[in-house]
């Protein structure tokens, strides 16, 4: 909640986050791309892919928008993008160590 811009905070988010956080295990985070977000910018974008587990592994590929307010960066909103699909012989995105074709690519 502390990194969510105050205009975007609501009790619903807080309840939702609290519920989700207890059910979610974060397994990995890869920053794919950044745009702006430098020292003299007031806006920045981060494209990332996170792997997390709620019962089973899932992908979150998102391009997030941040704004700087009083010298501190806050998350504003994000666009959810399609998850990365590895080639069949490459390691699966879930981190199982199996090839994609033998894991989530089946
Ligand atoms: Zn997998």
């Amino acid at each position: 909640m502390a990194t969510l811009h105050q205009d975007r905070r609501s009790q619903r988010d807080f309840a939702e986050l609290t519920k989700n956080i207890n059910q979610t295990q974060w397994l990995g985070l890869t920053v794919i791309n950044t745009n702006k977000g430098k020292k003299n910018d007031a806006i920045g974008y981060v494209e990332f892919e996170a792997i997390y587990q709620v019962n089973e592994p899932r992908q979150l590929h998102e391009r997030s928008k941040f704004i700087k307010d009083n010298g501190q960066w806050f998350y504003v909103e994000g666009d959810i993008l399609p998850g990365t699909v590895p080639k069949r012989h490459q390691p699966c995105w879930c981190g199982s160590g199996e090839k994609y074709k033998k894991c989530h690519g089946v």
Side-chain angles (χ1 to χ4, degrees):
M1 288 300 283
T3 56
L4 184 64
H5 192 269
Q6 59 185 7
D7 292 352
R8 300 281 170 167
R9 289 179 203 167
S10 72
Q11 281 306 312
R12 205 192 103 250
D13 286 338
F14 186 73
E16 188 95 338
L17 276 172
T18 303
K19 184 174 153 232
N20 289 346
I21 241 160
N22 291 325
Q23 298 172 348
T24 305
Q25 185 184 5
W26 296 96
L27 303 173
L29 174 68
T30 305
V31 174
I32 298 168
N33 201 2
T34 61
N35 185 11
K36 299 186 180 166
K38 300 278 190 318
K39 192 178 174 190
N40 294 321
D41 291 324
I43 191 167
Y45 298 89
V46 178
E47 180 186 347
F48 67 90
E49 195 158 73
I51 308 300
Y52 65 102
Q53 186 154 340
V54 182
N55 300 322
E56 60 183 48
R58 298 177 191 184
Q59 288 172 295
L60 173 61
H61 183 191
E62 181 176 323
R63 185 173 187 260
S64 302
K65 179 181 178 183
F66 294 83
I67 61 169
K68 192 159 57 178
D69 202 346
N70 251 331
Q72 193 180 340
W73 288 101
F74 292 96
Y75 176 88
V76 183
E77 60 193 0
D79 293 324
I80 305 295
L81 306 170
T84 298
V85 178
K87 292 192 165 42
R88 289 177 48 76
H89 64 278
Q90 289 180 324
C92 189
W93 56 261
C94 74
S96 67
E98 296 284 342
K99 290 180 179 178
Y100 179 61
K101 66 181 178 186
K102 293 191 169 181
C103 195
H104 283 89
V106 172

